[in-house]
């Protein structure tokens, strides 16, 4: 998510001669926070499965390969949801898409908590994934369209903050439910197994998201697109304050909409390898972001720690502490991405991830025992825990945020929308590949699996140095 907090003035500046009033910031923050609930659910639903993996394996008696497909099924839905959300939003409005996503989150949560077979659990996961994909698109778009220009960068960061908060809360909830079930993922809690509560409790924030959608206005850009200029004027006055320049703002939006170039895949073709070189750079950024294995932390960390002999309660607690580190790293990135620059921050992260992943790979090589009787020596256990947390920190303060900033900046205006779509699709595919392969790979050789992630982190360093441009301080019109 692009953050331009350091570039924005501390107070909104009125247009000269318009007699503008200070924008009602409290109202704007409420609207933004309500819209960012989609990001919270994005993070929550993406990572809540972490606490249910081993219980699902036991409940349905499935092997690692089939289990991985169920876990990764949400990513298929996410790709679908992200692909269709924009077009649906242009037809029925941003708020209606939020409500649709909220309903899908509710239905997915209930279905996932009460499955009668493995295939129907996978189906509910796909449905939840569609909601994730929609939320990943509609939240940032809506926030950008309702935010006063002076605050847009800071308000845009709400989405990324909400995502990492959702991840953390899901792990805290999982840990709390596990303790209610006496440390057993399939333990009984009020007539249901613990893992069912973990997946089902998402109904609460999903219903909250649905209700909040009735308390915020439709995007002025959509209202203008359907000829409702009077309502758009009312919305703009509500978020920017009453001033004489509102009619001019509406005129600017109308002019921008008429002059927009709808980029297509054909615009991306060219160069020696089929696509324009800058498009390959975007794809590379997306793919490297996933191939370092970050989503193993969010989807499988409880299983990972149990596989090296750590008890379930502790493994769930470590999943929670890792998500807290993720929040800290994200805040660091948001503070420094405009000060340090995109490339330096990405390089810092790549070096840190390489060292951290290598230390984890070394620690896991000392794993002894088999089946339920496995363990790590004390020294290697400490190294593994520290390495996993520092890996998450370095990812969050660099690639977790920087990639989205770069993808929003490096493409020329005329191809930006289409190029972003291709890069995002590549990211979902790489995410699916890592998520679907980890259980089988870790069963084969956990240490070697982490060596593979280490290699990708190491390769990201020359990739940044040679091919990634530095957009800091440049206007978007200068890129490409």
């Amino acid at each position: 998510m692009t953050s331009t907090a350091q570039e924005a003035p501390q107070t909104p500046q009125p247009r000269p001669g318009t007699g503008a009033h200070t924008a009602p910031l409290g109202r704007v923050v409420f609207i933004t926070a309500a819209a960012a609930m989609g990001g919270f659910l994005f993070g929550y639903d993406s990572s809540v499965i972490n606490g249910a993996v081993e219980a699902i394996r036991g409940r349905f008696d499935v092997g690692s390969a089939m289990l991985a497909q169920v876990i990764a099924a949400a990513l298929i839905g996410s790709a679908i949801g992200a692909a269709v959300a924009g077009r649906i939003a242009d037809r029925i409005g941003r708020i209606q898409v939020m409500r649709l996503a909220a309903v899908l989150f509710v239905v997915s949560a209930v279905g996932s908590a009460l499955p009668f077979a493995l295939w129907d659990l996978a189906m509910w996961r796909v449905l939840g994934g569609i909601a994730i994909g929609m939320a990943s698109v509609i939240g940032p778009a809506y926030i950008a369209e309702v935010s006063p220009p002076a605050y847009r960068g800071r308000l845009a960061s709400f989405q990324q903050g909400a995502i990492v908060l959702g991840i953390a809360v899901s792990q805290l909830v999982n840990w709390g439910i596990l303790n209610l079930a006496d440390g057993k993922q399939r333990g009984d809690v009020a007539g249901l197994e613990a893992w069912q509560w973990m997946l089902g409790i998402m109904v609460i924030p999903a219903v909250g998201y649905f209700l909040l959608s009735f308390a915020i206005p439709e995007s002025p850009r959509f209202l203008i697109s359907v000829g409702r200029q009077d309502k758009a004027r009312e919305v703009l006055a509500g978020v920017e304050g009453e001033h004489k320049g509102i009619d001019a703002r509406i005129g600017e939006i109308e002019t921008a909409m008429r002059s927009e170039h709808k980029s297509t895949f054909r615009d991306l073709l060219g160069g020696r390898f089929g696509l324009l070189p800058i498009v390959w750079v975007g794809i590379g950024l997306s793919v490297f972001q996933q191939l370092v294995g970050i989503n193993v932390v969010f989807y499988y960390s409880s299983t990972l720690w149990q596989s090296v002999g750590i008890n379930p309660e502790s493994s769930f607690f470590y999943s929670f502490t890792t998500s807290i580190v993720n929040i800290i790293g994200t805040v660091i990135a948001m503070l420094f991405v405009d000060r340090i620059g995109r490339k330096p921050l990405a390089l810092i992260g790549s070096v840190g991830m390489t060292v951290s992943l290598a230390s984890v790979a070394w620690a896991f090589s000392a794993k002894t025992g088999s089946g339920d009787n496995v363990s790590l020596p004390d020294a290697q256990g400490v190294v593994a825990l520290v390495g996993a947390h520092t890996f998450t920190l370095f990812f969050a303060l660099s690639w977790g945020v920087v990639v989205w900033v770069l993808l929003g900046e490096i493409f020329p205006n005329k191809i930006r929308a289409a190029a972003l779509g291709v890069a995002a699709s590549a990211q979902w595919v790489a995410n699916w590949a890592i998520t679907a392969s980890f259980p089988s790979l870790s069963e084969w050789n956990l240490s070697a699996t982490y060596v593979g992630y280490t290699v990708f982190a190491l390769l990201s360093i020359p990739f940044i140095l040679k091919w990634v441009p530095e957009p800091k301080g440049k206007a978007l019109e200068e890129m490409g």
Side-chain angles (χ1 to χ4, degrees):
M1 182 62 58
T2 305
S3 174
T4 55
Q6 282 68 44
E7 298 172 356
Q10 293 303 306
T11 56
Q13 300 299 312
R15 297 167 186 267
T18 62
H21 298 288
T22 301
L25 185 58
R27 169 68 173 160
V28 175
V29 169
F30 171 78
I31 291 170
T32 304
M37 271 296 293
F40 178 90
L41 286 160
F42 176 172
Y44 193 102
D45 194 33
S46 295
S47 62
V48 70
I49 194 69
N50 188 1
V53 174
E54 290 306 305
I56 292 170
R57 187 198 299 270
R59 170 74 174 268
F60 298 104
D61 191 25
V62 293
S64 295
M66 181 60 70
L67 179 67
Q69 297 308 315
V70 174
I71 304 305
L75 300 174
I76 298 171
S78 297
I80 296 170
V84 304
R87 293 181 182 179
I88 297 175
D90 285 339
R91 288 178 177 270
I92 66 174
R94 283 56 165 158
I95 299 297
Q96 294 288 21
V97 172
M98 290 183 194
R99 292 171 187 162
L100 176 58
V103 169
L104 292 177
F105 276 123
V106 169
V107 174
S108 170
V110 174
S112 297
L114 303 170
F116 53 83
L118 193 65
W119 69 265
D120 101 285
L121 174 59
M123 181 187 72
W124 299 123
R125 291 282 297 156
V126 171
L127 202 64
I130 293 174
I132 290 172
M134 287 183 167
S136 72
V137 170
I138 201 62
Y142 174 84
I143 291 169
E145 291 174 359
V146 299
S147 299
Y151 295 117
R152 187 169 295 134
R154 278 165 283 187
L155 294 173
S157 68
F158 274 45
Q159 176 81 355
Q160 183 66 27
I163 292 171
V164 297
L165 181 62
I167 292 171
V169 171
S170 73
Q171 300 313 301
L172 180 60
V173 169
N174 284 354
W175 182 56
I177 292 173
L178 187 75
N179 278 282
L180 287 176
D182 298 323
K184 299 174 182 178
Q185 287 165 272
R186 296 193 61 192
D188 182 81
V189 179
L192 294 176
E193 294 183 3
W195 69 274
Q196 294 177 279
W197 282 105
M198 293 174 190
L199 299 183
I201 208 166
M202 191 180 66
V203 165
I204 296 173
V207 169
Y209 183 39
F210 182 79
L211 295 176
L212 283 170
S213 72
F214 290 93
I216 59 178
E218 181 54 86
S219 156
R221 182 183 176 91
F222 172 75
L223 292 170
I224 291 170
S225 74
V226 295
R228 299 177 62 188
Q229 277 78 1
D230 288 344
K231 183 63 177 176
R233 187 177 291 105
E234 180 185 323
V235 173
L236 286 170
V239 297
E240 296 186 7
E242 286 282 358
H243 61 80
K244 296 178 182 178
I246 287 183
D247 286 337
R249 288 276 292 113
I250 290 176
E252 289 173 1
I253 295 172
E254 289 177 326
T255 301
M257 290 173 67
R258 284 195 298 268
S259 62
E260 281 179 350
H261 171 73
K262 300 293 185 181
S263 56
T264 65
F265 183 76
R266 182 175 295 179
D267 296 323
L268 309 183
L269 300 178
R272 290 189 300 171
F273 301 102
L275 298 174
L276 294 171
I278 194 65
V279 178
W280 283 116
V281 172
I283 292 172
L285 285 167
S286 290
V287 169
F288 272 118
Q289 188 195 50
Q290 297 301 316
L291 295 186
V292 296
I294 187 61
N295 279 313
V296 168
V297 174
F298 299 134
Y299 298 157
Y300 295 114
S301 60
S302 295
T303 296
L304 175 66
W305 295 125
Q306 290 174 59
S307 73
V308 292
I310 293 175
N311 64 57
E313 295 97 323
S314 296
S315 72
F316 275 54
F317 179 71
Y318 294 143
S319 296
F320 171 63
T321 57
T322 303
S323 64
I324 295 299
V325 169
N326 185 37
I327 293 176
I328 294 169
T330 301
V331 171
I332 292 171
M334 289 161 59
L335 291 174
F336 288 101
V337 68
D338 287 323
R339 297 180 183 179
I340 297 177
R342 288 66 162 144
K343 288 184 66 170
L345 205 56
L347 285 169
I348 291 170
S350 291
V351 172
M353 288 190 298
T354 300
V355 174
S356 299
L357 287 167
S359 67
V360 173
W362 171 79
F364 286 159
S365 70
K367 175 182 172 181
T368 58
S370 61
D372 294 330
N373 187 28
V374 293
S375 63
L376 284 178
D378 289 344
Q380 281 84 349
V382 171
V383 170
L385 283 171
V386 172
H389 283 74
T390 56
F391 163 61
T392 303
L393 177 65
F394 278 109
F395 176 87
L397 65 80
S398 60
W399 283 75
V401 171
V402 166
V403 167
W404 291 109
V405 175
L406 286 169
L407 290 179
E409 295 176 330
I410 64 174
F411 301 120
N413 283 337
K414 65 180 181 179
I415 67 165
R416 182 168 292 118
L420 271 168
V422 169
S425 297
Q427 191 170 102
W428 287 118
V429 170
N431 190 342
W432 175 86
I434 292 297
T435 304
S437 64
F438 176 75
S440 297
L441 287 174
S442 62
E443 207 169 68
W444 164 66
N445 191 315
L446 184 58
S447 179
T449 301
Y450 266 81
V451 168
Y453 301 151
T454 304
V455 169
F456 284 118
L458 183 63
L459 290 175
S460 71
I461 297 173
F463 172 75
I464 298 165
L465 291 172
K466 184 172 177 60
W467 285 294
V468 176
E470 175 55 80
K472 179 188 174 186
K474 296 180 181 179
L476 293 180
E477 289 71 24
E478 297 178 59
M479 302 308 297

